[in-house]
Amino acid sequence: MESRRPPLAPVHPSLPEYVRHWAQVTPERRAFTFVDHPAPGSRGVHRTLTWRRLDLRVRALAARLAEAAEPGSRVALLCPQGTEYVTAFLATLAAGLVAVPLYPPGLPGHGDRLSAVFADARPAVVVTASRALEEVRDFCGDTSVGIVAADQVPDAAAGEWQPVAPDPAAIAYLQYTSGSTRTPAGVEITHGNVVANARQALTAYGADAHPVTCVGWLPLYHDMGLVLSVAAPVVRGLLSVLMDPVAFLHEPVRWLRLLAAHPRALTAAPNFAYDYCTSAVTDAQKADLRLDQVAALINGSEPVRPGTVDRFHAAFAAQGLSPEAHCPSYGLAEATVFVSAARPGQPLRRFALDRDALAAGKALAARADDPRAVLLAGCGTPAGQRVRIVDPLSGAGLSEGEVGEIWVQGPNVGRGYWSRERQTRLVFGAESDAGPGGWLRTGDLGTVLDGQLIVTGRLKDLIVVDGRNHYPQDVEATAHDAHPAVRRDRLAAFGVPGGVGERVVVVAEHVRAMSLAEIDVPAVVRAVRAAVSGRHGLRLAEVVLVAPGTVPRTSSGKVSRALARERYLAGAFAAECAR
């Protein structure tokens, strides 16, 4: 019988050393399970690696990679979601190479980003799986990059090969940013960074004291998916259960079934996933769900809105879901991922803030039922690191209740950006009167109230009209509430140059249940204009209604306002929109 509680591991400087430890101490325990859904309606086919088996596969592939590339070379991971991805990532680290977590070329909507990142990283080797081998060969074309199919490397390749313990300060992987406000840049994450952040996350969510099962569908090329589904389970010796993001999108109840099947499940998802489950999971599908043992539901959106939490809990309260399982969190790739988190088992911290005061840089309390109030959830306290709110221009620390840029300092903060020295100095080497040493400038705005970090928006996304600040996510929330034809969380508000100042544009997708021909577009535009004017005192220059899937998103699923603005100015929406 398998024990639920793995023994504590000594602190190791790298993830492959933790794999080796668990292979020696608990060789037959399950390490990673990938649940495949090969057909519609499938309840899932489970494929599992024990710690012994994982260690063998990691050493076999690492030995092959060590033959194919010089130490410190980049290895691009173009694997589909699955155990091959986990093996490829850990093997690259074990071989003393630098992993570049990516995805197969066939992933819809991400071709341009993949090409840009591939060119920037300049990998010596690509690792993929047999089922994606042909498309990877086509993508690599006539380049000299070597290609290795992880599942074609035999166990015998491991031989007596053993990894050399890396320098904790050496680069383990390049985590490319999602590109929500700029061109993706590779953050240099060291072996020490990822181990530290995994331990911070385990502590924040109580997984250091109580065993959990990590359940996730987030793509492993994304920072949260990589740390929560790979790094944290490896450090603590926990079972990680994975599924493909596409399987979740096709049938979101699959995710909930995995949560129900594993006691004390810990999982993470962006805001849209919780709303998607609320609307898409049927009463018949809920009938056999029991969610009373879910340990933590992590929401890392920026900002986290209490309304999403309330809708999700109302939809699944009858399945035993605890309202205290919700854990609003904050993080970014430059800090490996996790920075601050609400702890499981505690009530959601809600804050109703005066909209005008917030725009002026002050977090003042308002009545929750005030239509001009901004409702936000607290993102808890820092996880083993320092967080300060500072004036983004002077670097001076701000008092509680004042809104400024969030700055971070800790062992999880990356070394800098790959091949971007100037940007590295600006972002990773900030000086503040909040304390000595370099600080990470996150580019995010926030404040601290009652000891809780509250994220209010992105510094670069701020819309400034007539000297007043407007948070785009607030304008977007008002717009999607204005008319049922507007698709939730699939719209972008941004400013564009105008004759006498900045003009504000909203580009919104319509709901999938209706075609554009069935929608009274002028009525939608009037409703959105009136709602934004009434709540924000803001005149919209244009409201553009587009087809589902048109508004660009980042690799993590967030709306990319910067790219939406760029496409709008280039006229890309003109042929497929209604105004």
Side-chain angles (χ1 to χ4, degrees):
M1 182 176 291
E2 185 172 291
S3 169
R4 282 291 303 161
R5 180 186 291 273
L8 292 174
V11 177
H12 292 289
S14 73
L15 295 182
E17 288 170 287
Y18 277 100
V19 172
R20 188 64 176 152
H21 168 82
W22 297 119
Q24 293 172 342
V25 175
T26 58
E28 302 310 319
R29 286 180 60 86
R30 292 177 295 163
F32 288 90
T33 294
F34 179 66
V35 184
D36 194 13
H37 296 85
S42 169
R43 301 285 289 200
V45 177
H46 292 60
R47 298 183 174 90
T48 296
L49 291 176
T50 63
W51 288 106
R52 186 202 304 274
R53 181 73 183 152
L54 175 64
D55 177 61
L56 177 62
R57 293 305 304 152
V58 166
R59 288 189 293 110
L61 183 55
R64 178 63 56 86
L65 293 175
E67 294 174 352
E70 296 295 323
S73 300
R74 274 78 59 208
V75 176
L77 310 182
L78 271 58
C79 294
Q81 189 97 335
T83 55
E84 294 97 343
Y85 203 116
V86 176
T87 302
F89 175 71
L90 295 170
T92 302
L93 272 55
L97 305 172
V98 177
V100 185
L102 292 169
Y103 39 84
L107 188 67
H110 294 282
D112 291 345
R113 179 180 184 274
L114 180 61
S115 296
V117 170
F118 199 83
D120 184 72
R122 304 186 303 279
V125 179
V126 166
V127 180
T128 187
S130 296
R131 60 187 184 278
L133 187 56
E134 287 307 313
E135 65 184 38
V136 167
R137 283 174 174 158
D138 290 343
F139 174 77
C140 293
D142 297 328
T143 66
S144 59
V145 63
I147 301 174
V148 177
D151 51 337
Q152 291 182 4
V153 176
D155 293 349
E160 299 301 319
W161 188 90
Q162 294 294 335
V164 177
D167 178 353
I171 303 172
Y173 61 100
L174 300 180
Q175 180 66 65
Y176 275 82
T177 59
S178 61
S180 59
T181 57
R182 60 176 180 267
T183 302
V187 182
E188 297 177 345
I189 302 297
T190 69
H191 292 276
N193 291 153
V194 66
V195 169
N197 203 224
R199 295 177 68 88
Q200 290 166 341
L202 289 165
T203 300
Y205 300 116
D208 59 339
H210 304 285
V212 301
T213 300
C214 297
V215 176
W217 55 265
L218 291 178
L220 297 181
Y221 59 79
H222 182 243
D223 49 11
M224 186 179 289
L226 190 62
V227 171
L228 196 68
S229 291
V230 180
V234 164
V235 167
R236 185 66 176 90
L238 303 171
L239 171 63
S240 180
V241 180
L242 304 167
M243 62 179 285
D244 195 288
V246 175
F248 164 75
L249 293 172
H250 284 171
E251 198 171 342
V253 73
R254 291 167 169 166
W255 175 42
L256 304 184
R257 286 174 181 153
L258 290 180
L259 294 178
H262 296 88
R264 291 196 54 79
L266 182 149
T267 193
N271 201 76
F272 87 86
Y274 294 102
D275 277 322
Y276 183 38
C277 287
T278 299
S279 61
V281 176
T282 66
D283 289 340
Q285 291 172 330
K286 293 177 185 179
D288 61 350
L289 281 178
R290 291 301 307 168
L291 300 174
D292 53 312
Q293 292 298 309
V294 173
L297 297 169
I298 301 166
N299 187 333
S301 303
E302 301 164 10
V304 179
R305 297 191 180 277
T308 296
V309 175
D310 292 342
R311 284 188 294 271
F312 188 82
H313 183 257
F316 299 102
Q319 282 64 53
L321 181 67
S322 168
E324 298 179 349
H326 294 278
C327 299
S329 304
Y330 166 70
L332 67 164
E334 286 82 351
T336 305
V337 62
F338 289 101
V339 171
S340 178
R343 279 27 175 190
Q346 298 181 4
L348 185 75
R349 296 295 302 274
R350 302 165 182 269
F351 296 87
L353 304 178
D354 181 270
R355 188 182 308 276
D356 292 335
L358 198 61
K362 301 287 185 181
L364 300 181
R367 295 195 325 272
D369 59 352
D370 186 338
R372 292 183 60 80
V374 178
L375 304 179
L376 298 174
C379 289
T381 54
Q385 50 205 293
R386 302 179 69 199
V387 171
R388 293 290 184 270
I389 307 298
V390 304
D391 182 303
L393 298 179
S394 69
L398 299 178
S399 303
E400 181 165 313
E402 293 186 289
V403 177
E405 187 178 8
I406 302 169
W407 286 17
V408 177
Q409 190 179 71
N412 54 302
V413 173
R415 296 200 330 181
Y417 294 115
W418 170 254
S419 300
R420 288 172 169 81
E421 291 185 11
R422 180 177 178 276
Q423 193 177 355
T424 293
R425 290 194 301 271
L426 291 174
V427 175
F428 288 84
E431 297 295 329
S432 169
D433 62 3
W439 289 74
L440 168 66
R441 300 191 60 160
T442 69
D444 292 315
L445 292 170
T447 188
V448 174
L449 286 177
D450 297 334
Q452 293 276 310
L453 176 65
I454 303 171
V455 182
T456 59
R458 290 285 300 174
L459 185 60
K460 291 185 178 180
D461 282 343
L462 268 182
I463 300 170
V464 184
V465 177
D466 297 330
R468 294 184 65 233
N469 294 335
H470 298 272
Y471 290 95
Q473 65 271 15
D474 290 339
V475 176
E476 292 158 5
T478 298
H480 73 56
D481 286 343
H483 197 282
V486 177
R487 192 178 179 201
R488 182 177 294 279
D489 292 332
R490 291 295 192 277
L491 65 169
F494 49 84
V496 296
V500 291
E502 198 165 41
R503 301 162 57 243
V504 183
V505 174
V506 169
V507 177
E509 295 180 9
H510 63 75
V511 294
R512 289 188 179 277
M514 305 172 69
S515 69
L516 197 57
E518 299 173 287
I519 298 173
D520 185 345
V521 175
V524 175
V525 172
R526 287 194 300 270
V528 171
R529 286 184 185 277
V532 171
S533 176
R535 180 165 290 184
H536 304 274
L538 190 63
R539 180 184 179 276
L540 294 180
E542 193 165 15
V543 178
V544 184
L545 199 64
V546 296
T550 302
V551 174
R553 289 187 289 164
T554 70
S555 62
S556 61
K558 299 174 185 176
V559 167
S560 175
R561 300 184 185 100
L563 188 52
R565 179 180 185 273
E566 180 182 315
R567 290 183 181 177
Y568 171 83
L569 291 173
F573 298 123
E576 54 184 330
C577 71
R579 292 173 166 84

